[in-house]
Amino acid sequence: MNAAVLVQLLVSGLAMGFIYALVGIEYTLVWNSTGLLNFSHDKLIMLGAYLFGGTFVLGMGFSNPLAIVLAFVIMGLIGVLIANGIFNPLRTMQSMIFAVMGTMILGRIIKEACRLIWGPAPFAISGWLSGNIRIGKISISNANIIICLVSLLVVIGLQLFLNFTKTGKAMRCVAQNKKAAALMGINVTQNICITTAVSAIICSIIGILIIPLFNVSTTMSNSIGLKGFSAGVIGGFGYLPGAIIGGIIIGIVENLAVMVLPAVYKDVVSFVLLILFLLVKPTGLLGKRA
Amino acid sequence: MTKKMKIRIAEIIILLIALLVVPLFVKNNYYLLVFNRILINAIVVLGLNFITGLTGQMNLGMAGIFALGAYASALITRYANISPWVGLLLAIAVGWVIGQCLGYPSLRVKGVYLSLTTIGFAEVIRLMFSNLTDITGGTQGMRNIEPYSLFGFKFDTQGKMYYLFFVITAFGFFIAWRIVYSKWGRVFKSLRDNAEAVEMSGVDIADVKIKAFTICAIYGAVAGALYAHFMGYINPSTFTIDMSTNFVIMLLIGGLGSVIGNIFGAIIVTILPEMLRFLDDYYLITFSIIVLLGAIFFPNGWVDAVVRLGKKTINIISDKRAENGKAVSR
């Protein structure tokens, strides 16, 4: 095992880590704002990739930036629909199982719809985030670098949005205390719509970013969705910086684990980490509350 | 014995007899296969009811437990060359171990951790069984799993298996019924309604939750073992998250916490997709949309919705009769 391979594994691990971090952020936003888990998030990631690749780039022949913007707009609208159709009516039910099952069934519907609309065969988008950069012996794919950069931008942008805009501050208020937020004149229902829309847009960013890694298929995001949950638990459930740290840890650890374990068990690593953290430190690395 | 109880017992006996003579009239093997699947699904849902229906903790990895039960029983029957009944006992043991080992880390702390660990667990189990090619046959699956036999009598046709599964499901139903209306069942329910108050009353809530989850895992593993010997062929690609979702949908449609509702949920969710088969490619999406609308508009389950509708119509009819000056009997 030479140094060049190690560096390559680290870089691709870091890129995957950023993807998990984005997944962690995306569902933590919804969790904080509604107290519910969005189990359709992996299907939303897939839907974002299909909208971008299948409809706008390959189907209509738009340029990439235009396709990205259109995908964002549609995903944002879908987010509002989910909030109004599932989260808002079902979040006040006595048990969260109703809303959670609603999102799970929605995920199924999205998956079936994608299969019916775009066909069951996976496809690639040629020329999207392709190519490599060589530094000495080390070869790094452009996709990994762009994933890291875009993820950093999203993280920074989101922090600015949450800390310096009125809507962002309102989102944090709703996350902390819905009753008090409502008394302060924040429209909680509308705020949940906005949060879900932001979360859906982040989903589509993830979907578009992982096209070069997994191609566009109905199963492209299955494992990512689950590992995003592990990332949240490892970093501290319901805490945004925790989700980022947890995601990066999982990405790097599972990529380095390939050196000792057979490659097929790569997906097991995040689950083992999840159980270990629950046993040893259930609050996660950065979690505050017990 | 009161008159009401007598009527109740008579009803149950008539129902049992009706269900027992089904294979005499239904000769179509496909229908019997669907009936058998309903019985197996019903066992899983009866178990799931304890943790998700009563204590309100989401278990989204029932497929993993089911798969582990199925493979444990199939593997021991194949390699140790012993009766599938031992496999059934092993499945019970496996269920207990899963319940303790997965329940302890995820239920000791408050929160939604059980749904995350069970979902991850199911994925890991599926991956293991598809990759341990030497033992489980990998994605090719295991073929020719021996059916159950009792004193030389082989349960090898769908009709014969129907009786066997019917007896086992009835037994499982009886136990579930007794547990739900026992002290344990009441603690489970109170946990869902107000965990803090239960804790204040001196109940170790983590222990209670783990108990509920263990019962659930045992039911799931037993149903898995039955499934393996019923199908005669198991393949890891069956035990996906879709399967786990299906089990929770059954629970939801039947109504959370209702033991009879569980059975109805299993019946509806097993039969409805089969009835929608004529839609061809669109049957799964139609089924999902129906279920989603049901979950939004009848969150207490379809059974409850039908019962309420029935009561409402009876009330309206009797009101009308009262207006017309006739006797009211409610």
Side-chain angles (χ1 to χ4, degrees), chain B residues 60-73:
Chain B
L60 297 171
M62 213 52 195
I65 297 167
F66 193 78
L68 212 56
Y71 269 96
S73 180

Side-chain angles (χ1 to χ4, degrees), chain A residues 275 278-279, chain B residues 51 57 65 95-109 113-114 117-118 121 205-207 209-214 217:
Chain A
I275 296 279
L278 276 182
L279 277 173
Chain B
I51 186 75
Q57 296 283 317
I65 297 167
W96 186 81
V97 171
I98 301 173
Q100 298 291 323
C101 295
L102 211 56
Y104 179 73
S106 35
L107 293 169
R108 201 170 43 113
V109 278
Y113 299 110
L114 187 73
T117 48
T118 47
F121 172 75
I205 55 173
D207 185 57
K209 280 186 203 163
I210 294 171
K211 229 180 241 165
F213 182 57
T214 309

Side-chain angles (χ1 to χ4, degrees), chain A residues 157-169:
Chain A
L158 194 68
Q159 288 301 327
L160 291 178
F161 174 69
L162 287 177
N163 285 312
F164 294 106
T165 64
K166 206 168 181 183
T167 324
K169 283 179 187 166

